[in-house]
Amino acid sequence: MESDILNWGNKEVEELLHKENISSCLIEICKTHDIDGPCLLSFVDRDFHTHPFDQLKLGERKRFILLVKKLQRHNRSAMMELGLCDDLINPATNINFLGTNLSHLSYDLHNKIPNELSFAGNTECVSSYPPADIKASKLRPEVWKTAIALGYVFLVTWVTAVVMVIVHDKVPDMKKYPPLPDLFLDNVPHIPWAFDMCEITGSLLMAIWLIVLFFHKHRFIILRRFFALAGTVFLLRCFTMLITSLSVPGSHLKCEPRSYPPADEMTVWGRRLAQAYDIWSGAGMSVRGVRTCGDYMFSGHTVALTLLNFFITEYTSRSLYLLHILTWVMNMFGIFFILAAHEHYSIDVFIAFYITSRLFLYYHTLSNNQALMQSDSSRTRIWFPLLSFFESEVDGIVPNEYEGPVTIMQNLKQWCVQMVADVKESSVAKIAGSKLQEGAAMGEYSVVRIVDGIKRNLSLVEEFKNSRPRLVTLDKNIQACLLDECSDHELRHRNIELPKDSLRKEFGDPPSPILKKSI
């Protein structure tokens, strides 16, 4: 089984299967489907579970799988020549996935056959499916989540500033508690300008990170990841600073608890909050006039340097290896400058680098493999709530895709136009809503007036019905009085027929003079 397997035809494959005592059914399948040497090398785990191999007995299939894996293991060079064996390092997290066949895992997730995962750990080469198959299929910016992450990091940094003021007031007395023994600090002399160099190095890393962030296509996703990790690490730092107060690491540091004049408690806390604001606005940097003591376990400067280094190397192309070397050198030199300035103990720096790097790798490993961890989703929500919230719409690896200045300006213009359109729509909707409310109010007022008018008309009708008999009687009396006042000659001259006796009887006697006067 040497590299000449590339020249094998179907006949050589049949001879191999006969030699390895493979079942005749499998030999017939290979003969029918014209499987040659390169085809055997190109087998992936998914092929063993599809037609026509899905009809085989379990033992026959397993023996064939073992044979193919053995061939692939002994013909690595031939597979590389065919382009079947890609890089074994996951480019998204720098974590070695040796022995994990991603296409097989993805197939099992969709086809629900977990009992076939037992042999996936024995593969030594990632399948022929390119890494693009495990990239995220949907990458929405979700700017509102990034805004929440920004608010989270602002809140945590403010809490950190307040805690730094509190621990400064609790710093141990330097005369009573001298610096602790330290392997590095005891053997490296103090360099006064080293801490400023550390902060300048961190500023350069921040500038590089902002440039990467500006041109990256998925800038909002990686920005909220940066905020989430930075906020979480600094929140953990608040607890470690409060739990134990370490002695001052160098005698050159002038550290002592601040004394507050006799005053009420509100005045003391007012001054502490003012000092916390100075630390927060100065980002805790000595080049901006911030000097603190007691915040030793663990180093916040090391956290910032390490986070910037890891994010730059993670979200830039692997071909920019010179940039990656530069960021790692700057990270290590920044740590060296912290120790050379005797601003922190060695354990502070070591713990800061370890915690930051581990959290970065844990976060990205979980976010890049969420589809493989659905069974642990509830546990992930409990222990990593920020990850579950911020990465709920990211179902794979975020690719390193970049945009040029022209594309960025076009996207910015489109975003501004869309925002203006949304604002206009909301204002038009608001105006329309107000008009509808006014129309509804006017309609309600009109309906009320119509109802009132109908009620008045009905009351007038009722009143007319009630007063009609009185009006008829009154009218008859008036006519009788007029007839009584006129002489018979005048009535005949006006061609008015005189009332007969029946009419007089109907009207009755004419009214008396007093009644006429009242009428």
Side-chain angles (χ1 to χ4, degrees):
M1 294 179 290
E2 302 297 333
S3 60
D4 59 353
I5 190 175
L6 295 176
N7 301 321
W8 283 11
N10 184 254
K11 184 178 180 181
E12 286 79 4
V13 172
E14 291 183 30
E15 292 176 357
L16 176 65
L17 297 179
H18 278 295
K19 183 179 177 181
E20 297 292 334
N21 295 324
I22 301 299
S23 68
S24 58
C25 183
L26 245 171
I27 296 174
E28 186 64 27
I29 290 175
C30 293
K31 182 178 180 180
T32 304
H33 292 271
D34 193 22
I35 295 177
D36 55 9
C39 289
L40 285 179
L41 294 182
S42 65
F43 262 80
V44 294
D45 293 328
R46 183 172 59 182
D47 297 334
F48 300 121
H49 304 281
T50 56
H51 182 78
F53 298 100
D54 57 343
Q55 304 298 326
L56 295 173
K57 295 180 180 178
L58 182 59
E60 294 175 346
R61 192 195 307 176
K62 291 292 185 181
R63 282 189 288 271
F64 183 64
I65 290 172
L66 292 176
L67 175 62
V68 173
K69 297 300 179 184
K70 186 178 179 182
L71 281 172
Q72 291 176 345
R73 186 169 60 252
H74 287 86
N75 293 276
R76 296 288 296 281
S77 58
M79 294 183 67
M80 293 182 68
E81 185 176 345
L82 292 173
L84 299 175
C85 191
D86 296 324
D87 190 5
L88 298 179
I89 304 298
N90 185 342
T93 58
N94 292 333
I95 299 173
N96 192 346
F97 280 104
L98 184 64
T100 303
N101 192 312
L102 294 176
S103 67
H104 174 62
L105 290 173
S106 177
Y107 171 78
D108 285 342
L109 283 173
H110 292 291
N111 294 274
K112 308 296 182 184
I113 47 173
N115 57 333
E116 298 294 341
L117 285 173
S118 57
F119 60 86
N122 297 326
T123 59
E124 295 186 1
C125 179
V126 178
S127 70
S128 58
Y129 286 82
D133 288 347
I134 57 174
K135 290 181 181 178
S137 60
K138 51 179 181 178
L139 291 171
R140 294 190 298 172
E142 295 183 299
V143 182
W144 64 278
K145 285 187 178 180
T146 306
I148 292 176
L150 178 62
Y152 170 68
V153 78
F154 274 161
L155 178 62
V156 170
T157 50
W158 172 252
V159 173
T160 303
V162 174
V163 171
M164 290 171 70
V165 173
I166 295 174
V167 298
H168 186 103
D169 296 339
K170 293 171 54 181
V171 64
D173 187 6
M174 297 180 62
K175 297 178 181 179
K176 187 176 180 180
Y177 300 98
L180 299 173
D182 190 280
L183 183 63
F184 189 91
L185 301 186
D186 294 343
N187 294 282
V188 175
H190 170 242
I191 303 176
W193 47 266
F195 202 61
D196 292 341
M197 286 299 301
C198 164
E199 294 184 344
I200 293 173
T201 303
S203 301
L204 292 175
L205 282 173
M206 175 60 77
I208 297 173
W209 167 236
L210 291 177
I211 294 173
V212 173
L213 194 64
F214 180 77
F215 289 103
H216 203 284
K217 182 178 180 180
H218 308 292
R219 58 186 66 86
F220 289 106
I221 296 176
I222 61 177
L223 187 59
R224 69 170 173 261
R225 289 182 174 183
F226 181 82
F227 289 152
L229 284 170
T232 302
V233 176
F234 277 96
L235 185 61
L236 179 61
R237 183 170 179 258
C238 293
F239 290 101
T240 57
M241 287 189 298
L242 278 173
I243 290 172
T244 303
S245 297
L246 298 178
S247 59
V248 181
S251 57
H252 66 284
L253 297 172
K254 306 301 180 183
C255 293
E256 57 184 11
R258 298 184 183 90
S259 59
Y260 299 97
D264 57 346
E265 194 67 19
M266 291 300 295
T267 304
V268 173
W269 272 104
R271 296 187 181 185
R272 285 178 174 174
L273 292 178
Q275 293 165 359
Y277 177 76
D278 293 337
I279 296 173
W280 185 78
S281 60
M285 300 175 65
S286 62
V287 293
R288 300 189 63 178
V290 177
R291 298 298 301 179
T292 57
C293 297
D295 55 326
Y296 300 126
M297 179 58 69
F298 45 87
S299 171
H301 286 72
T302 304
V303 169
L305 291 169
T306 306
L307 266 182
L308 291 170
N309 172 31
F310 273 60
F311 269 92
I312 292 172
T313 54
E314 176 70 21
Y315 294 105
T316 52
S317 173
R318 295 297 176 267
S319 60
L320 301 176
Y321 57 90
L322 291 178
L323 175 63
H324 300 169
I325 293 173
L326 175 64
T327 57
W328 271 102
V329 169
M330 294 173 72
N331 190 0
M332 294 299 106
F333 265 94
I335 291 175
F336 169 78
F337 287 138
I338 294 172
L339 295 175
H342 290 202
E343 292 282 345
H344 279 280
Y345 289 105
S346 301
I347 187 65
D348 303 341
V349 173
F350 175 78
I351 293 297
F353 181 84
Y354 182 82
I355 289 177
T356 306
S357 60
R358 294 312 97 184
L359 278 179
F360 180 89
L361 292 177
Y362 295 159
Y363 189 100
H364 283 76
T365 301
L366 289 172
S367 60
N368 292 340
N369 297 278
Q370 288 190 83
L372 307 179
M373 302 178 184
Q374 293 299 320
S375 59
D376 284 344
S377 59
S378 58
R379 184 163 54 182
T380 304
R381 284 193 296 269
I382 294 173
W383 291 103
F384 300 96
L386 289 179
L387 179 133
S388 299
F389 175 68
F390 289 133
E391 306 296 327
S392 60
E393 296 298 326
V394 180
D395 59 351
I397 297 171
V398 177
N400 288 330
E401 300 172 349
Y402 303 94
E403 296 175 338
V406 177
T407 306
I408 293 174
M409 295 305 297
Q410 290 177 351
N411 293 338
L412 183 62
K413 181 181 178 180
Q414 184 178 1
W415 181 76
C416 292
V417 170
Q418 184 65 33
M419 185 177 66
V420 171
D422 293 340
V423 170
K424 286 184 177 179
E425 287 181 3
S426 61
S427 61
V428 169
K430 186 181 295 184
I431 293 172
S434 62
K435 293 296 184 182
L436 286 174
Q437 289 179 353
E438 292 177 4
M442 292 291 293
E444 183 179 359
Y445 177 71
S446 301
V447 170
V448 171
R449 292 190 62 182
I450 291 173
V451 172
D452 290 341
I454 293 172
K455 288 181 178 179
R456 278 199 306 275
N457 291 334
L458 291 175
S459 63
L460 290 174
V461 170
E462 290 293 330
E463 185 177 354
F464 175 74
K465 288 181 178 180
N466 296 332
S467 61
R468 185 176 179 183
R470 294 197 304 270
L471 290 174
V472 170
T473 303
L474 181 62
D475 184 56
K476 290 179 178 180
N477 292 330
I478 291 173
Q479 290 180 11
C481 292
L482 292 175
L483 293 173
D484 185 57
E485 290 178 357
C486 294
S487 61
D488 295 343
H489 177 73
E490 290 179 359
L491 292 176
R492 291 189 183 94
H493 185 268
R494 296 180 184 178
N495 295 324
I496 298 176
E497 185 178 354
L498 291 174
K500 297 181 180 180
D501 296 337
S502 60
L503 184 61
R504 291 180 178 274
K505 290 179 181 178
E506 180 181 355
F507 283 106
D509 297 330
S512 62
I514 298 173
L515 182 60
K516 291 180 181 180
K517 189 177 181 179
S518 64
I519 294 174

